[in-house]
């Protein structure tokens, strides 16, 4: 198309700045092509549904609110190795090329730029190819935008295939600042053109895609739709864009912001995690459970863990499950829980007074105890209480003559008639002669007492003499019976 004279260009300049009238649907618009203001079905991971276009002066945040790419803490751009491949052939007029540079700058505005975030390079092409700057050249937005503003058009020709090959061989290399495969940083190229490629793009684009480069194709005005689709990655309805004029290409920046935006479902509250949502970055997340719970097979809900059944509780004696999904330790009877809330120590229940014994508590070595009863009592079947024993009936009373049961585990000894109970309260002595002597003499007087003792001794001697006679007779009788 012939160039207008400079004077005529000055006259037409105000008209060029006016927004173009609404264009009728282009006959080239077909399936596999995204037009400004439309969206294909579905959407790439981390994208939202249709949203109204934001004013051109404020990048669309992806949340329906003006602002930067972070979207009030919900949207953050994914780290990328991003290369713009821009057509600056003669068919792209200077003002139109400025629009392309503005489009690139607006996309940069929506990204998080930095060595650990997104890195940007620009490949400028026409019949020749020039790498304007590499991925490692600029690490902040301002220097990037200044570098973009300095780019100038090249010449005639549209060697799109050569441009893609150059980007693949020189821009997307580790030496040029691209991050290696182990980093899992996506490699993305956006090619902007308004014409038909003058070389073969099908094979070189296929090689680029096979090497891991995701290709977006933006066509303007007379761009060949079939060539755009040959260059772009699948699905085409998410990687091919078309606008009628360069005057509206800037507004595509909001679409790319949506594409490169990593939504945070945890911040949005759309995660459906029952307990805890963990953001993994790049719009991904996973669910976790509170302590004492495990994640179910649906990876969303949680169930209480029976740590007692799992035997991971560490309780020395008894593990008790709590309703909250946790547990606590307890000890066997006779033991108390230590400060570590896990181990147990034997306790002196007798000293604590918690034994329940009616009479006597006896500690055992095993940290337990047993009950015993006072003398004259027996332990009942409950092993706690005691019942009275009748020691007179048991024959364990020790009385020489008679045991008298008094009840309540008590008894006393008595003597047969003619005997008196001695001071030990057990044995008895004969009292008939003593009574006769006491009745005739003054037992209280000292002389009477001495006389009584003498007479008693006399009687005892005579009694012993009689016993000796009896023993001799018995022995003689036994001897006579033996010699018969």
């Amino acid at each position: 198309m012939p160039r207008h004279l400079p004077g005529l260009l000055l006259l037409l300049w105000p008209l060029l700045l006016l927004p173009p009238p609404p264009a009728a649907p282009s006959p080239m618009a077909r399936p596999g092509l995204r037009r400004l203001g439309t969206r294909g079905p579905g959407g790439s991971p981390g994208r939202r549904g249709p949203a109204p276009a934001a004013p051109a002066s404020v990048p669309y945040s992806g949340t329906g609110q003006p602002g930067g790419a972070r979207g009030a803490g919900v949207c953050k751009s994914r780290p990328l190795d991003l290369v713009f491949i821009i057509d600056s052939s003669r068919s792209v007029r200077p003002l139109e090329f400025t629009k392309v540079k503005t489009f690139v700058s607006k996309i940069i505005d929506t990204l998080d730029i930095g060595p650990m975030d997104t890195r940007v390079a620009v490949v400028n092409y026409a019949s020749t190819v020039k790498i304007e700057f590499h991925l490692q050249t600029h690490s902040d937005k301002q220097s990037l935008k200044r570098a973009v503003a300095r780019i100038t058009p090249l010449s005639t020709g549209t060697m799109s295939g050569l441009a893609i090959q150059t980007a693949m061989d020189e821009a997307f290399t580790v030496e040029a600042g691209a991050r290696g495969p182990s980093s899992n940083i996506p490699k993305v190229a956006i090619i902007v053109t308004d014409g038909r490629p003058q070389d073969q793009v099908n094979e070189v684009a296929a090689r680029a895609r096979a090497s891991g480069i995701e290709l977006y194709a933006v066509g303007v005005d007379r761009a060949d739709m079939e060539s755009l689709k040959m260059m772009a990655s699948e699905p085409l309805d998410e990687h091919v864009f078309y606008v009628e004029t360069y005057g509206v290409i800037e507004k595509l920046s909001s679409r790319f912001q949506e594409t490169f935006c990593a939504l945070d479902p945890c911040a949005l509250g759309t995660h459906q995690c029952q307990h805890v949502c963990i953001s993994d970055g790049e719009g991904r997340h996973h669910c976790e459970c509170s302590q004492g719970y495990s994640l179910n097979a649906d990876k969303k809900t949680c169930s209480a863990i029976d740590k007692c059944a799992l035997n991971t509780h560490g309780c020395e004696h008894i593990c008790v499950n709590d309703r909250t999904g946790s547990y606590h330790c307890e000890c066997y009877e006779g033991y108390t829980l230590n400060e570590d809330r896990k181990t147990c120590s034997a306790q002196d229940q007798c000293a604590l007074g918690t034994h329940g014994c009616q009479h006597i508590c006896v500690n055992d070595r095993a940290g337990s105890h047993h009950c015993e009863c006072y003398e004259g009592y027996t332990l009942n079947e409950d092993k706690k209480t005691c019942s009275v024993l009748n020691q007179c009936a048991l024959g364990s009373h020790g009385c020489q003559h008679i045991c008298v049961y008094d009840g309540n585990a008590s008894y006393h000894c008595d003597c047969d008639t003619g005997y008196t109970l001695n001071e030990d309260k057990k044995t008895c002595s004969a009292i008939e002669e003593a009574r006769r002597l006491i009745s005739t003499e003054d037992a209280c007087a000292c002389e009477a007492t001495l006389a009584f003792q003498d007479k008693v001794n006399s009687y005892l001697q005579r009694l012993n003499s009689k016993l000796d006679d009896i023993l001799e007779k018995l022995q003689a009788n036994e001897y006579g019976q033996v010699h018969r």
Side-chain angles (χ1 to χ4, degrees):
M1 181 178 293
R3 299 289 184 184
H4 294 284
L5 296 174
L8 181 59
L9 182 60
L10 291 174
L11 292 173
L12 294 176
W13 182 265
L15 296 176
L16 293 172
L17 295 178
L18 293 175
S26 170
M28 292 182 290
R30 63 196 70 179
L33 170 67
R34 182 181 294 176
R35 297 173 58 85
L36 181 62
T38 65
R39 283 185 63 87
S44 297
R47 297 204 193 142
R48 302 178 190 275
S57 60
V58 182
Y60 178 61
S61 68
T63 63
Q65 299 291 335
R70 294 184 182 276
V74 174
C75 175
K76 184 182 187 300
S77 68
R78 295 175 292 160
L80 304 170
D81 285 340
L82 175 61
V83 175
F84 290 94
I85 305 173
I86 55 176
D87 178 1
S88 66
S89 61
R90 186 165 295 175
S91 61
V92 184
R93 298 173 181 176
L95 180 61
E96 293 171 339
F97 191 68
T98 299
K99 294 285 187 182
V100 173
K101 293 192 291 183
T102 302
F103 164 68
V104 172
S105 293
K106 284 189 174 293
I107 292 180
I108 291 172
D109 272 332
T110 68
L111 301 173
D112 292 278
I113 302 298
M116 303 305 295
D117 294 307
T118 294
R119 302 178 184 179
V120 177
V122 173
V123 175
N124 187 8
Y125 80 98
S127 58
T128 59
V129 179
K130 177 184 178 183
I131 297 181
E132 296 289 347
F133 51 84
H134 288 287
L135 291 169
Q136 65 186 0
T137 306
H138 301 285
S139 58
D140 64 274
K141 289 185 182 182
Q142 295 307 315
S143 63
L144 262 177
K145 291 166 67 176
R146 285 194 296 268
V148 170
R150 290 193 295 267
I151 298 174
T152 58
L154 292 177
S155 61
T156 59
T158 309
M159 304 297 287
S160 301
L162 178 61
I164 295 172
Q165 185 69 52
T166 302
M168 181 169 51
D169 294 342
E170 299 181 32
F172 284 112
T173 62
V174 175
E175 293 77 13
R179 284 159 283 194
S182 62
S183 66
N184 292 321
I185 301 296
K187 292 177 172 57
V188 178
I190 301 175
I191 184 166
V192 182
T193 182
D194 72 342
R196 180 189 298 273
Q198 295 176 348
D199 56 359
Q200 296 297 320
V201 298
N202 192 10
E203 291 184 4
V204 66
R207 288 197 300 272
R209 293 192 299 269
S211 71
I213 300 172
E214 186 177 10
L215 281 168
Y216 289 86
V218 178
V220 184
D221 194 9
R222 297 170 300 277
D224 179 62
M225 295 300 109
E226 291 303 319
S227 298
L228 293 176
K229 291 192 288 183
M230 281 190 291
M231 290 187 287
S233 298
E234 295 284 348
L236 294 178
D237 64 337
E238 295 181 5
H239 291 82
V240 178
F241 296 83
Y242 175 82
V243 292
E244 277 82 3
T245 68
Y246 282 102
V248 294
I249 191 174
E250 298 172 26
K251 295 184 179 179
L252 276 179
S253 60
S254 64
R255 296 298 189 198
F256 279 100
Q257 180 184 4
E258 292 180 62
T259 300
F260 300 145
C261 175
L263 301 179
D264 186 351
C266 296
L268 287 171
T270 59
H271 48 81
Q272 296 183 336
C273 297
Q274 185 180 7
H275 285 187
V276 183
C277 179
I278 305 296
S279 294
D280 298 325
E282 299 187 13
R284 295 189 298 270
H285 76 286
H286 69 276
C287 299
E288 292 184 0
C289 297
S290 303
Q291 186 176 5
Y293 290 78
S294 62
L295 197 64
N296 295 328
D298 62 6
K299 303 299 182 182
K300 300 280 186 182
T301 58
C302 301
S303 296
I305 297 173
D306 187 351
K307 289 190 176 179
C308 294
L310 292 174
N311 201 30
T312 58
H313 47 80
C315 297
E316 184 179 4
H317 285 184
I318 303 167
C319 177
V320 180
N321 279 309
D322 298 327
R323 292 182 181 178
T324 59
S326 59
Y327 68 95
H328 69 273
C329 300
E330 293 183 358
C331 298
Y332 300 137
E333 185 178 2
Y335 290 78
T336 184
L337 197 64
N338 296 326
E339 289 184 1
D340 62 7
R341 317 306 296 174
K342 298 281 187 178
T343 58
C344 300
S345 296
Q347 64 181 4
D348 186 350
Q349 289 189 329
C350 295
L352 291 173
T354 58
H355 47 80
C357 298
Q358 184 180 5
H359 285 185
I360 303 168
C361 176
V362 179
N363 279 310
D364 298 327
R365 291 182 180 178
S368 60
H369 70 283
H370 70 274
C371 299
E372 293 183 358
C373 298
Y374 300 138
E375 186 178 1
Y377 290 79
T378 184
L379 196 64
N380 295 327
E381 291 183 0
D382 62 6
K383 303 300 182 183
K384 299 282 186 179
T385 59
C386 300
S387 295
V388 176
L389 284 174
N390 188 342
Q391 288 188 331
C392 291
L394 293 174
S396 58
H397 47 79
C399 296
Q400 184 179 6
H401 285 185
I402 303 167
C403 177
V404 180
Y405 179 61
D406 297 328
N408 196 27
S410 180
Y411 69 95
H412 70 273
C413 297
D414 254 350
C415 296
D416 295 332
T417 304
Y419 289 83
T420 185
L421 195 63
N422 295 327
E423 290 182 0
D424 61 8
K425 302 299 183 181
K426 297 282 188 178
T427 59
C428 299
S429 298
I431 62 171
E432 183 175 353
E433 186 62 23
R435 279 201 191 113
R436 187 176 62 80
L437 291 172
I438 290 172
S439 62
T440 58
E441 298 184 14
D442 184 2
C444 294
C446 184
E447 295 81 0
T449 301
L450 292 173
F452 174 74
Q453 290 178 348
D454 291 339
K455 288 183 179 180
V456 169
N457 289 332
S458 175
Y459 282 122
L460 289 174
Q461 288 175 358
R462 280 184 286 176
L463 181 59
N464 288 333
S465 178
K466 289 180 180 180
L467 289 174
D468 291 340
D469 291 342
I470 293 171
L471 287 174
E472 288 178 0
K473 290 179 180 179
L474 287 173
Q475 290 175 353
N477 186 37
E478 289 178 359
Y479 181 81
Q481 289 178 353
V482 171
H483 292 287
R484 283 182 181 176

